[in-house]
Structures are given as C-alpha cells and as structure tokens.
Amino acid sequence: PENEMQVTIEVFDFSGRILWKHSEEVVTAENSYSYTWNLCSSSGQPLAEGVYLYRVVVSSPEGQSASKAQKMVIMH
C-alpha cells in the first residue's frame, strides 16, 4: 500500500502481435490495481471475440519488477 509503481498491460494475439498497450505510474491505495479497458486495439478497432494473451508488468522505482501472463476470452 502507498507505493509508487509503473504498471504496463499488453494484449497480444496468438501470433505474438501486440494489439493494445497501456502504461501508467500509480500509487496504490491497497494491494490492488484496476483499469477499465474498452476492448479496442490501440488503433481503436474493437477486438473480435476470441482468446487473447495478456501480460502485466509491475515495476518499482528501485528497479524491482514482476510480470504475469495469462489467457483471456473476449465475448460480446
């Protein structure tokens, strides 16, 4: 809690192409972070229904970082 962090979220297709990316510096109030995404690519096109990969990277100002990658399903 109350730590400054750099949070980066990336969404990929199964070919490994990055479709969307968001990065921001945040100060957490709790041990959680949330972001509302409109399910569009970086170019503004809605992503089709299907399975995608996402990765979240969290970095501290001291240079420590952690990342996690998972699959997600988009359904309209």
Side-chain angles (χ1 to χ4, degrees):
E2 303 299 321
N3 290 322
E4 185 178 311
M5 303 183 296
Q6 176 75 31
V7 178
T8 302
I9 307 166
E10 301 168 309
V11 176
F12 303 87
D13 63 14
F14 271 89
S15 298
R17 292 179 295 186
I18 188 163
L19 302 173
W20 179 81
K21 181 177 181 176
H22 174 77
S23 187
E24 68 178 313
E25 291 201 16
V26 298
V27 176
T28 59
E30 299 178 13
N31 286 333
S32 65
Y33 169 81
S34 65
Y35 181 80
T36 302
W37 174 42
N38 63 3
L39 302 179
C40 291
S41 68
S42 293
S43 63
Q45 299 298 314
L47 294 183
E49 288 187 351
V51 180
Y52 296 87
L53 302 171
Y54 71 92
R55 176 173 55 198
V56 177
V57 181
V58 178
S59 304
S60 72
E62 295 81 29
Q64 298 173 316
S65 67
S67 67
K68 179 80 173 184
Q70 294 284 321
K71 294 177 186 174
M72 73 172 168
V73 177
I74 293 179
M75 298 170 51
H76 299 282

